[in-house]
């Protein structure tokens, strides 16, 4: 029969809050690292680094080509020793795993605006590059930024393989452990983990067009 018993069981688990919060803040840190890396890089490529774009375009596809096992172990070994022993290594690995998607999302957003005109106008008005990026460029590509955030969040909140290979515990790995004793509870957890990214993507779908219309009106 149909009931909410399994949902009540999920929320009664003492580990539920711990692991969902861990996955959320790891996803938030992944988003921060991705934007901090990609936005300045993409702006430079569009303004002054066009000759390097083809090379970086190819490099950004490597996470899709390299097997996950090789990527996880190799990337971890390449990190500083202090980083390898903490859960903070995961956001950097997640950010690289999301790179093929976030890179192209931001690239499309920057390609849709007259970036050189905006940057030259801001610099000639006395703004430095930090202000130019924060006040002029980021609002102009808000839709692309929100889409990149949604994609990065959806990938990192549900990432299982790398986390499991490196022996860390997050919400997806906890679901796998719970499924050993309660299959229906694990299915319920999987539904919850699916609904959260869908809600984020839906929010982006409503927010991004509003920003576009506002910019058009201004």
């Amino acid at each position: 029969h149909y009931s909410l018993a399994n949902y009540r069981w999920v929320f009664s688990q003492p580990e539920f809050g711990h692991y969902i919060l861990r996955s959320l803040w790891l996803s938030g840190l992944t988003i921060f690292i991705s934007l901090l890396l990609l936005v300045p890089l993409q702006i430079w490529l569009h303004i002054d680094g066009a000759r390097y774009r083809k090379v970086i375009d190819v490099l950004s596809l490597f996470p899709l080509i390299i097997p996950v096992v090789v990527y996880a172990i190799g990337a971890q070994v390449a990190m500083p020793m202090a980083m390898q022993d903490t859960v903070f290594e995961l956001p950097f690995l997640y950010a690289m795993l999301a790179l093929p998607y976030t890179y192209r999302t931001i690239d499309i957003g920057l390609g849709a605006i007259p970036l050189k005109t905006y940057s030259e106008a801001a610099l000639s008005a006395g703004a430095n590059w930090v202000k130019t990026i924060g006040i002029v460029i980021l609002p102009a590509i808000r839709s692309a930024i929100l889409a990149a955030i949604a994609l990065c969040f959806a990938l990192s909140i549900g990432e299982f393989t790398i986390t499991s290979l490196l022996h860390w515990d997050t919400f997806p790995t906890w679901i796998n452990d719970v499924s050993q004793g309660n299959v229906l509870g694990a299915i319920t957890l999987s539904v919850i983990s699916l609904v959260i990214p869908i809600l984020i993507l839906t929010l982006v779908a409503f927010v991004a067009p509003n920003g576009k219309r506002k910019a058009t009106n201004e």
Side-chain angles (χ1 to χ4, degrees):
H1 62 279
Y2 296 99
S3 72
L4 297 176
N6 288 303
Y7 287 92
R8 289 194 295 269
W9 176 85
V10 165
F11 291 111
S12 68
Q13 298 300 303
E15 301 93 350
F16 175 79
H18 171 74
Y19 286 116
I20 191 67
L21 287 176
R22 168 178 274 195
S23 289
L24 286 173
W25 71 258
L26 285 174
S27 299
L29 190 55
T30 302
I31 292 169
F32 175 77
I33 293 170
S34 296
L35 295 181
L36 187 65
L37 170 68
L38 290 179
V39 172
L41 174 63
Q42 287 279 15
I43 291 173
W44 174 73
L45 288 175
H46 279 263
I47 293 178
D48 196 39
R51 59 187 179 276
Y52 301 108
R53 285 190 64 181
K54 290 184 178 180
V55 175
I56 297 179
D57 284 349
V58 173
L59 292 177
S60 69
L61 294 173
F62 273 26
L64 296 177
I65 301 171
I66 300 174
V68 177
V69 175
V70 177
Y71 166 72
I73 305 303
Q76 185 198 37
V77 173
M79 287 185 174
M81 290 298 297
M83 186 69 71
Q84 295 180 27
D85 297 329
T86 69
V87 74
F88 291 102
E89 69 177 348
L90 291 180
F92 291 93
L93 299 177
Y94 292 168
M96 292 299 102
L97 199 62
L99 182 63
Y101 313 105
T102 52
Y103 178 90
R104 275 149 190 80
T105 302
I106 297 175
D107 180 60
I108 292 171
L110 288 172
I113 64 172
L115 181 59
K116 287 188 177 180
T117 302
Y118 285 1
S119 59
E120 289 174 359
L123 293 172
S124 63
N128 56 30
W129 272 109
V130 175
K131 288 185 177 180
T132 300
I133 293 174
I135 299 176
V136 178
I137 297 176
L138 289 184
I141 60 169
R142 190 175 73 167
S143 297
I145 294 292
L146 290 173
I149 289 174
L151 289 170
C152 195
F153 177 82
L155 186 145
S156 55
I157 195 70
E159 208 292 318
F160 173 81
T161 307
I162 291 178
T163 309
S164 179
L165 287 171
L166 298 180
H167 305 291
W168 292 109
D169 291 323
T170 59
F171 191 61
T173 59
W174 180 63
I175 292 175
N176 182 66
D177 294 337
V178 169
S179 66
Q180 309 302 321
N182 187 341
V183 176
L184 293 178
I187 294 173
T188 304
L189 284 166
S190 300
V191 171
I192 293 174
S193 65
L194 178 65
V195 167
I196 292 175
I198 289 176
L199 291 176
I200 297 297
L201 292 171
T202 303
L203 180 63
V204 169
F206 280 99
V207 171
N210 291 336
K212 186 176 180 180
R213 285 196 294 268
K214 182 179 178 181
T216 303
N217 294 332
E218 291 176 354

